[in-house]
Structures are given as structure tokens and as C-alpha cells.
Amino acid sequence: MRKKIVAGNWKMHKNAAQTEELLNELIAKIPAETDAQVIVAPTFVNLASAVNQLKSTAIGVSAQNMHQAESGAYTGEISADMLTSVGVKTVILGHSERRAIFHETDALIASKVDTALQHDMTVIFCFGEELKDRQSQNHFNIVENQLKDGLFHLQAKDWEKIVLAYEPVWAIGTGETASPEQAQEMHEFIRETVRKAFGSDVAEDVSILYGGSVKPDNAKEIFSKPDVDGGLIGGAALKAEDFVAIVTAI
Ligand code: PEP
């Protein structure tokens, strides 16, 4: 079933004490009656303690990345088994910063998706066009190709574990946000693309989050669009007050 989701990507922010403090604030401030699934993605070293701290709450914990191999000589990397062994059942894959700074390709991301699914993890799959693609009117093609190359090798049943996060790169961390109409237009296109390949049940059930400078003052309008099922939040996830306001907006 399609879910409303608000996920906070903390990136390389918050040490152990700051993580504990922010989580305590979220525990105290997120209204119990919210119908959104709330997820936080602290850094690797704070995942185990976050899972522990949140264990009697409805707030989920996600990793921000993982390696595609089961184990091996990959210095500095983290496997799916390591994540699930500390209770992390969700992972963000394909974030634009991973694609741009760490040169992750669609093929690599597809293999990470496969590994995550083999471990019964939920994948928040990020994709979205760059500014030059939108300026050259190529944004629909780029988005369709990222989607196809990353996910279209899956079976229909695998989609129960997939959450899509459309994040136009030009809107990430820039203060620029897609207008609610631009977000809806692309989300509708994404759902239609999924429908053509996997059928209506998969397309109607998959949650499509919008990410890119979502803030308390624009969240409500973006979330009001019929194909926007929530948000992946970067900067505004680092302040309890802002993140809670965004959760409440849904
Ligand atoms: C992100 O990095 O996923 C993101 C959406 O960041 P921000 O909200 O800061 O634009």
C-alpha cells in the first residue's frame, strides 16, 4: 500500500552526542497521531545507537549508503549484513551526491539495490536531473533512464521494498525548490513510467517522495499534490523544529 513518508537524510552531520540530542527532540515533538512514516538517516557510526534509542518509537532508521558486495577487501565500506545486524532495515541508494562526488553509476546502484533486496531491506532510490538537463528539456529522458537502469530489472514483487525519491539535483541544498506543479508533473510521469513496465498495482502502491530544499514553509503545498507521497529532507532535517513542521505538514 502506498505510504506517506518523511525521511531525513543527515548526510555527514551530527556526532554521537548531537545525534542523541536531535533524536530526543524528535521523539518528544513528533505528534503520535501523524499518519506519515518518519525515517531518519544518521551517519554509519551512529546507526546502532539510533536504532537503540528509537526502538520503542515509530521512527525508523535508514543508512545513507552501503556496498554491493557481501563482504571482502573493501576498506572503509559497509555491507548490508552489517546494517541489518544492528537493526537497520532501510538504505538510501543513488543519492545525487553519491552519483556526482563518488562517481556511482546506474549499474553500480542497480547492483546495490539487488544486494539490499536480498537482505530484505527497503531501498529509498534517489534519482533526478541536473540543471542542464532541465534547461535543455531533457529532464524526462534522464529521469526515465535512471529509473530504468536502476530498477527495471526487478520483478513486480520486489517493488514492495522500493520507495522512489525524485530529487532534481538543481534543488538539492540550493534553496531552489521545484514548484509544486513541477514536482507533480514529474511524479506523475514517474508513476506512469512504472505503470507501463510493471502495471497499475505496482504504480499505485509505490511511494514517490520529493527531495530538494523542502522547508516548513513550502512542504504543505508540495505534499498536497496527488502524486507526491512525502519528502526526502536534507538541510531541514537537522533542526528538530523544522523537521517536525515538515512531518506535520503531511
Ligand atoms: C537531499 O540531499 O536529499 C536533500 C533533499 O537536501 P536538501 O533538503 O538540503 O535540499
Side-chain angles (χ1 to χ4, degrees), residues 9 11 95 97 167 171-173 211-214 232-235:
N9 173 13
K11 310 192 183 188
H95 191 277
E97 286 150 17
E167 299 205 301
I172 294 183
S213 298
V214 176
L232 181 56
I233 318 298

Side-chain angles (χ1 to χ4, degrees), residues 147-198:
L147 201 53
K148 285 185 172 166
D149 292 347
L151 296 176
F152 276 21
H153 62 288
L154 299 179
Q155 307 289 311
K157 67 170 176 33
D158 296 329
W159 281 77
E160 283 168 23
K161 291 285 188 180
I162 302 291
V163 173
L164 300 177
Y166 167 61
E167 299 205 301
V169 179
W170 48 271
I172 294 183
T174 57
E176 282 270 333
T177 185
S179 68
E181 292 69 32
Q182 284 173 318
Q184 169 58 24
E185 180 186 41
M186 186 57 91
H187 282 224
E188 195 178 343
F189 170 77
I190 291 165
R191 204 177 297 285
E192 214 33 57
T193 306
V194 172
R195 193 187 314 278
K196 280 185 203 141
F198 293 96

Side-chain angles (χ1 to χ4, degrees), residues 18 20 39 91 245-246 249:
Q18 292 161 343
E20 188 180 349
I39 297 172
V91 61
I246 291 169

Side-chain angles (χ1 to χ4, degrees), residues 84-155:
T84 56
S85 73
V86 296
V88 176
K89 299 190 189 102
T90 303
V91 61
I92 297 170
L93 294 176
H95 191 277
S96 63
E97 286 150 17
R98 301 292 320 169
R99 292 175 188 261
I101 306 169
F102 301 100
H103 311 295
E104 292 197 6
T105 61
D106 289 319
L108 176 76
I109 297 159
S111 80
K112 291 186 177 200
V113 169
D114 290 342
T115 304
L117 295 182
Q118 279 154 20
H119 286 262
D120 208 23
M121 297 178 80
T122 295
V123 173
I124 301 176
F125 179 86
C126 302
F127 60 119
E129 81 282 0
E130 292 177 36
L131 184 59
K132 64 175 171 42
D133 306 319
R134 190 161 273 266
Q135 284 169 339
S136 61
Q137 303 291 315
N138 204 24
H139 46 299
F140 290 111
N141 278 340
I142 295 286
V143 161
E144 185 173 357
N145 287 338
Q146 288 174 332
L147 201 53
K148 285 185 172 166
D149 292 347
L151 296 176
F152 276 21
H153 62 288
L154 299 179
Q155 307 289 311

